[in-house]
Amino acid sequence: MHIESDIIFATSMQLLEERDRQFLRCALAGVRDPDMIPVLLEQAAVTAQFPWLSDLARLECAIHQAGTASIPQPGTLDSLTINPALRMVPVSWHGLPELLATGSESGAALHPGEEIILVWHTGSEAEILTQPAQPGQLLALKMVAEGITPESAAALHDTPQALFRAALYDATAEGLLLSPPSAIRRRYPEDNGQSARNRPEVEVFTLQWHLTQSCDLSCKHCYDRSQRAVFPLERAHSLLQELCRFCDRRFVRPQVSLSGGNPLLHPHFFDIYQAAAEQGVMTAILGNAAERSTIERLVQIQQPAFYQVSLEGLEQHNDAIRGTGNFQRTVTFLKMLTELGVPNMVMLTLTRGNMDQVLPLARRLEGITDGLTFNRLARFGEGAGLELPTKDEYRRFLEQYLVAAETSPVLTFKDSLINIVLEQNNRPLFGGCTGHGCGAAFNFVAILSDGEVHACRKFPSPIGNIHDQGLEEIYHSSLAEQYRNGSSSCSGCSLQSVCRGCPASAASSGLDPFHDRDPYCFRMW
């Protein structure tokens, strides 16, 4: 079987004179190894005219080999793996990928210089990619090839882990590395192996981390004004390391959503924020309006994934809940966040008293914030005496919300029960409260300032204490498992994977969140 040289080495052959092409075809008669063409080209006189031709042929040979390589399914992997289609081609000329793309010397800035060209694809139908290797890509490949963890690399080079984690994340996103599927995924009694593989994967695990109870506001619906110790700095450092190991073992990315009280009032807030950034942990802030210098300092350390603030309706109603002047101060702050390029959003706690203000507030916030959404009030703490809408009122509100969201640039979805209305309107479902229905003790946990760990911060749901136990132990506790399983009344519902109701709503209505349905669920099934 002869080599299809005009196909495998199309660009190299195209650049040769016809006499040289015929010579090469004769020389290759009976040769089965494509690697021989670059060798023959190095020996041929044509290299005087095209000194880069053998490198180009070597690159075309790698493209052929990469194209015939098969990619394993993620479910067959148990660790980060170098893509078997990847070829690393050392060359002595810059500009060869451009020459391949254009097929002409005039379309490429060819000049001498050593570099490594990466050639790979990510699936049977995927395009074959060809590009000069970047330092981060080579770093990631070396780490996986030699079994080096971000933690050990950081210790060896006295460099923040973030550099090494980012290299691995980026190389995986590019397909140079192949990752096993996320180990955080729903498990239902009726699952079989096929359905488990096909379920959407969790990509991020979040600690909603309440650093302190201290707050510069005194909201009338606050669910917890208890006195708790601030989270100690030393334990914060070790917890971040735990979080990274926890996520590495599950092939998910770690995130901390720093909250309170007002997290910025923690005496070591910036030390903790800096440590999270250096570990390669994504950061978000759930807080109040702050000074411009504070946000600039945040951004200098690490851009937050988002900064969330709260408004409870239009100005008069909001200020009656959150304090005089809060509305205007918060709107000004949102404009400043947008100006500084910090993604931001507004969270509203929904009650009967502000339900009719949500859509007008959305119109007021257009061009000011990236998003507005809501949580239903869970009647605990100061909010226990506030009034909630009836089930029918809430259903009508969701229907109106959904219609308004079709044209609103700021309204976003969070309450899982919105999926009932989407289903009724034959529209695509969304992921629910945390992207996978209720995420309590599933893809997030809440850690309070005194170390208590809760499945969800909206209601008392203790599952351990991080000062006495590790994150792994708490996550695998029987209590955490109960919250992950959700209400037995939702078993069999076809919306279970994106809904599961709200256990905080059930608990605040005196129901059992492990057995009773969300009292606002209006789906008939």
Side-chain angles (χ1 to χ4, degrees), residues 11-79:
T11 303
S12 298
M13 287 294 190
Q14 172 186 318
L15 293 169
L16 293 174
E17 299 289 343
E18 179 60 29
R19 178 188 61 187
D20 295 319
R21 284 199 291 268
Q22 292 298 336
F23 164 78
L24 205 54
R25 292 189 186 106
C26 292
L28 287 171
V31 175
R32 298 187 179 187
D33 185 0
D35 286 328
M36 286 300 299
I37 283 193
V39 175
L40 289 169
L41 286 174
E42 285 178 347
Q43 300 169 351
V46 293
T47 53
Q49 182 181 357
F50 304 113
W52 37 260
L53 192 60
S54 60
D55 274 350
L56 179 64
R58 195 172 293 111
L59 193 54
E60 289 187 287
C61 183
I63 291 172
H64 168 70
Q65 293 169 342
T68 60
S70 60
I71 307 296
Q73 292 297 314
T76 65
L77 303 174
D78 57 12
S79 62

Side-chain angles (χ1 to χ4, degrees), residues 11 15 52 56 95-110:
T11 303
L15 293 169
W52 37 260
L56 179 64
L96 294 177
E98 292 82 359
L99 177 58
L100 272 176
T102 62
S104 168
E105 284 185 79
S106 60
L110 293 167

Side-chain angles (χ1 to χ4, degrees), residues 214-291:
S214 298
C215 189
D216 47 338
L217 300 178
S218 184
C219 302
K220 291 183 179 179
H221 65 341
C222 183
Y223 45 75
D224 186 0
R225 288 187 183 165
S226 61
Q227 296 299 310
R228 298 174 186 264
V230 298
F231 203 93
L233 179 60
E234 183 178 353
R235 182 64 181 109
H237 283 287
S238 62
L239 178 56
L240 287 167
Q241 293 171 346
E242 270 188 66
L243 173 63
C244 289
R245 295 185 194 119
F246 177 93
C247 291
D248 288 347
R249 283 191 282 267
R250 290 162 176 79
F251 305 102
V252 297
R253 295 193 65 175
Q255 175 174 298
V256 291
S257 293
L258 300 173
S259 186
N262 183 351
L264 298 173
L265 297 181
H266 188 284
H268 301 291
F269 171 81
F270 279 103
D271 295 317
I272 295 172
Y273 194 86
Q274 178 81 46
E278 290 179 354
Q279 293 276 356
V281 176
M282 295 186 292
T283 49
I285 308 295
L286 314 179
N288 302 332
E291 297 295 327

Side-chain angles (χ1 to χ4, degrees), residues 135-137 139-140 143 150 153-154 157-170 277-281 302:
Q137 295 170 324
L139 172 62
M143 289 174 66
H157 296 283
D158 193 24
T159 302
Q161 286 190 38
L163 170 70
F164 304 101
R165 288 190 182 281
L168 293 176
Y169 294 146
D170 291 346
E278 290 179 354
Q279 293 276 356
V281 176
Q302 176 168 282

Side-chain angles (χ1 to χ4, degrees), residues 2 14 16 24 59 73 75 86 92 120 123 131 151 163 172-173 206 232 250 275 280 290 294 336 369 375 400-401 406:
H2 69 281
Q14 172 186 318
L16 293 174
L24 205 54
L59 193 54
Q73 292 297 314
L86 177 65
S92 301
W120 79 101
Q131 64 176 233
E151 193 171 357
L163 170 70
T172 302
T206 301
R250 290 162 176 79
T294 298
M336 183 258 286
T369 186
N375 268 322
Q400 296 165 0
Y401 188 93
E406 293 177 3

